């Protein structure tokens, strides 16, 4: 049976996040030929709706309101519930982002339905859809199905590939007017600490440093390599605890979970706490002076050596590769 | 102030995981308080010490979760409640758990509820917001700082590395992120005292809940370990050659660059 699927798009600083397109792809699979409706919330977001059509949304619904400029669970909750009320979807897909993690349990609770969080893959289509998600800090996986009610899932960024972009595809766009009232939370200020440019949880390439980086300045060569590869810089808990970098960079069981195409671990021993945050990356490169370091056990490629020698050489070599390409 | 902390007994994921018959083997494994819940317990104790009141730690589970509750009491919580569902609930998902917890809390009038932002075993992060929604109170997730002045609450929360500063009011549910505080270790006198602190046990019958009303909406079909990774390739030779080979492999073999 085909299903009508509602997918939430997410914008950050006026640009749609990739997970918006990934959610459309997930929605298509669950819909089994049904309609995929993308929802866009904000104070001024209409201009972003055309992109959603190009990535496969059949329809786009926008809700614009001054109170939706910043995310609050009350504001976004009221808006999305109004859309659900109008559309009566049979499945819902959010990104497993800060916003999605905060909002989805509230909506699921309100709808009295189940919620499968942090899905990394979907098997089957329509009613036969089975969701795969990591558990035990990524050391095991479970297959989950929804027994009854709306199929509501959140998808981990970077795991479900978006559909191929079709420039001439146009989705029907409509606006829904929702009265947003009674916000119980007032956002006073947002202090941006995360790295400029590439979002760590969505980055295709992550260069992470551990205790071996030795100091705050020691992160400089990692940043240069990240810049050349268009990636983001991350860190182990050890490096954060030692005050070499901000906790916003921490990857691990506490901290962020990342699944980039390429993960380069520099001076990271590979404690289980760290592996929990990155072991599902597609390709892992380890650079460490200690040939016995645990990180080599999960690495696809390893270089035993001093990161301060290896990283700058890698940066040069990648620069050459880009020039020749 | 009437403070509740939602805690979960979890498998220590630093342990080796063995799966047999589609289930995680728990025999002989180490169980702990979910690390994020420890931040919640610590914060609750600090709020109580500053504002007065009482901290109750609450868990849903079986008899063996008593150990984790005693640890929380030894840290400084005043009372503990175990909602024992061992005999009544066969399959438990987040819908089920949140409904049972909120049924227990609905006539307790908590001013503040704290929980971890996610449990390291199941990893869904749903229970806190679900319970808040069912109780009709506001919630703020992944907090790193909490200040309470009367009923006004000022919070810093972590949003994918950025810090959001916001204002809200009691009653409120918050979920703890790393960085909120440094959880204390139970002291020896604390452990002695904990043995005498009240630990109540309730069952579904006491809560007037019909099992059918809280039947799980989702079902786990299978649990499995990720495919074992083949041993990686540690490069050899001159460092410059290794670097060149690595770039070549990433570009031509792995095709990730």
């Amino acid at each position: 049976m085909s299903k009508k699927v509602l997918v939430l798009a997410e914008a950050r600083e006026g640009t749609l996040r990739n997970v918006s397109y990934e959610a459309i792809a997930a929605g298509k699979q669950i819909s089994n030929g049904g309609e995929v409706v993308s929802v866009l919330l904000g104070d001024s977001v209409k201009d972003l709706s055309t992109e959603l059509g190009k990535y496969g949304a059949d329809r786009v619904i926008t809700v614009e309101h001054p109170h939706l400029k910043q995310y609050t669970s009350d504001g976004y909750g009221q808006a999305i519930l109004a859309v659900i009320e109008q559309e009566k979807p049979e499945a819902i897909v959010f990104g497993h982002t800060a916003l999605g993690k905060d909002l989805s349990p509230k909506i699921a609770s309100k709808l009295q339905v189940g919620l499968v969080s942090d899905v990394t893959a979907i098997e089957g289509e329509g009613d036969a859809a089975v969701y795969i998600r990591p558990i035990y800090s990524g050391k095991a996986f479970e297959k989950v199905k929804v027994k009854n009610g709306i199929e509501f899932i959140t998808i981990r960024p970077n795991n479900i590939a978006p559909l191929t972009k079709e420039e001439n595809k146009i989705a029907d766009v409509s606006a829904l007017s929702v009265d947003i009232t009674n916000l119980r939370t007032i956002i006073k200020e947002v202090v941006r600490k995360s790295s400029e440019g590439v979002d760590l949880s969505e980055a295709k390439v992550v260069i992470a440093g551990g205790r071996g980086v030795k100091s705050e300045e020691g992160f400089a060569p990692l940043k240069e390599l990240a810049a050349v590869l268009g990636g983001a810089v991350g860190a182990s808990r050890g490096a954060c605890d030692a005050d070499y970098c901000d906790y916003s960079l921490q990857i691990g069981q506490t901290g962020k979970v990342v699944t980039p195409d390429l993960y380069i671990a520099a001076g990271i021993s590979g404690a289980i706490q760290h592996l929990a945050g990155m072991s599902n990356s597609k390709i892992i490169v380890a650079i460490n002076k200690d040939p016995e370091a645990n990180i080599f056990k999960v690495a696809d490629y390893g270089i035993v050596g001093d990161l301060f020698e290896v990283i700058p050489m890698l940066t040069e070599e990648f620069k050459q590769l880009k020039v020749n390409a | 102030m009437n403070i509740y902390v939602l805690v979960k007994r979890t498998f220590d994921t630093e342990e080796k995981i063995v799966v047999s018959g589609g289930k995680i083997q728990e025999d002989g494994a180490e169980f702990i308080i979910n690390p994020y819940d420890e931040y919640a317990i610590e914060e609750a104790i600090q709020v109580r010490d500053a504002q007065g009141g009482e901290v109750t730690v609450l868990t849903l589970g079986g008899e063996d979760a008593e150990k984790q509750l005693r640890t929380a009491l030894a840290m400084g919580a005043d009372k503990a409640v175990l909602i024992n569902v061992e005999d009544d609930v066969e399959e438990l998902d987040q819908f089920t758990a949140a409904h049972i917890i909120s049924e227990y809390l609905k006539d307790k009038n908590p001013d503040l509820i704290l929980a971890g932002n996610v449990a390291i075993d199941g990893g869904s992060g749903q229970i806190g917001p679900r319970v808040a929604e069912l109780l009709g109170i506001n919630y703020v997730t992944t907090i790193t700082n909490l200040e309470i002045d009367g009923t006004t609450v000022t919070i810093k929360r972590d949003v994918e590395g950025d810090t959001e500063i916001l204002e809200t009011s009691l009653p409120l549910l918050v979920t703890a992120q790393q960085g909120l505080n440094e959880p204390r270790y139970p002291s020896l006198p604390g452990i002695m005292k904990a043995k005498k602190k009240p630990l109540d046990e309730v069952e579904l019958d006491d809560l007037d809940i019909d099992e059918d009303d809280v039947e799980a909406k989702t079902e786990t079909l299978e649990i499995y370990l990720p495919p074992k990774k083949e041993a990686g390739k540690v490069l050899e030779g001159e460092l410059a050659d290794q670097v060149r080979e690595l770039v070549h492999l990433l570009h031509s073999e792995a095709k990730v660059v």
Side-chain angles (χ1 to χ4, degrees), chain B residues 24-43:
Chain B
I24 304 268
Q25 279 301 309
E26 297 192 339
D27 296 345
E30 189 71 29
F31 283 85
I32 54 172
I33 296 177
N34 175 42
Y36 290 101
D37 302 350
E38 289 187 340
Y39 298 117
I41 298 165
E42 175 63 38
E43 196 66 18

Side-chain angles (χ1 to χ4, degrees), chain A residues 41-53:
Chain A
L41 311 174
D43 63 334
S44 166
V45 288
K46 269 199 193 80
D47 296 346
L48 300 172
S49 50
T50 45
E51 282 298 290
L52 296 167

Side-chain angles (χ1 to χ4, degrees), chain B residues 55-69:
Chain B
V55 174
T56 308
V57 286
L58 168 70
T59 196
L60 184 74
E63 210 70 58
D64 35 17
E66 256 189 43
K67 189 179 167 212
Q68 282 69 34
L69 289 177

Side-chain angles (χ1 to χ4, degrees), chain A residues 40-293:
Chain A
L40 195 48
L41 311 174
D43 63 334
S44 166
V45 288
K46 269 199 193 80
D47 296 346
L48 300 172
S49 50
T50 45
E51 282 298 290
L52 296 167
K54 290 175 185 172
Y55 277 97
D58 298 305
R59 244 178 341 118
V60 179
I61 296 174
T62 59
V63 182
E64 293 186 330
H65 194 286
H67 284 165
L68 297 177
K69 184 174 166 56
Q70 276 164 318
Y71 169 78
T72 58
S73 59
D74 279 338
Y76 272 53
Q78 289 168 33
I80 196 87
L81 283 167
V83 177
I84 291 168
E85 174 72 30
Q86 175 184 285
E87 294 294 325
K88 304 197 168 39
E90 290 150 298
I92 304 173
V93 182
F94 287 6
H96 198 65
T97 56
L99 189 159
K101 282 185 231 181
D102 191 79
L103 183 62
S104 58
K106 178 189 178 88
I107 305 301
S109 192
K110 199 97 186 164
L111 299 172
Q112 302 240 29
V113 299
L115 169 63
V116 188
S117 310
D118 202 15
V119 170
T120 53
I122 303 171
E123 280 180 357
E125 296 182 331
D127 290 333
V130 171
Y131 305 105
I132 296 174
R133 58 185 302 271
I135 51 173
Y136 292 77
S137 309
K139 292 173 93 179
F141 286 87
E142 65 172 347
K143 288 188 180 179
V144 182
K145 80 166 186 180
V146 178
K147 288 201 291 188
N148 57 54
I150 293 174
E151 308 249 332
F152 192 176
I153 68 166
T154 63
I155 57 164
R156 182 183 287 196
N158 250 348
N159 282 267
I160 294 169
L163 304 172
T164 312
K165 188 176 183 180
E166 291 179 51
E167 288 296 341
N168 52 5
K169 244 190 125 225
I170 297 164
D172 178 37
V173 181
S174 60
L176 179 68
S177 145
V178 181
D179 193 20
I180 311 282
T181 55
N182 276 329
L183 300 187
R184 290 174 292 186
T185 297
I186 305 156
I187 313 289
K188 294 280 186 193
E189 193 188 342
V190 179
V191 186
R192 295 246 176 258
K193 286 202 285 187
S194 49
S195 55
E196 318 77 50
V198 186
D199 185 335
L200 187 54
S201 55
E202 288 200 336
K204 295 288 179 200
V205 177
V206 172
I207 320 290
R211 281 192 181 274
V213 170
K214 287 187 187 137
S215 67
E216 199 180 334
E217 297 73 39
F219 268 96
L222 276 63
K223 285 181 189 162
E224 278 173 46
L225 178 55
V228 169
L229 294 174
V233 172
S236 71
R237 180 174 187 166
C240 298
D241 282 347
D243 237 356
Y244 301 162
C245 61
D246 193 86
Y247 276 105
S248 62
L249 298 188
Q250 186 181 328
I251 293 165
Q253 184 159 293
T254 41
K256 291 200 173 72
V257 175
V258 298
T259 41
D261 292 344
L262 173 59
Y263 190 89
I264 300 181
I268 291 178
S269 61
I272 280 166
Q273 129 79 25
H274 185 71
L275 300 186
M278 48 64 77
S279 61
N280 294 320
S281 302
K282 285 172 198 100
I283 295 289
I284 296 168
V285 172
I287 300 162
N288 202 299
K289 278 202 276 196
D290 175 11
E292 303 297 321

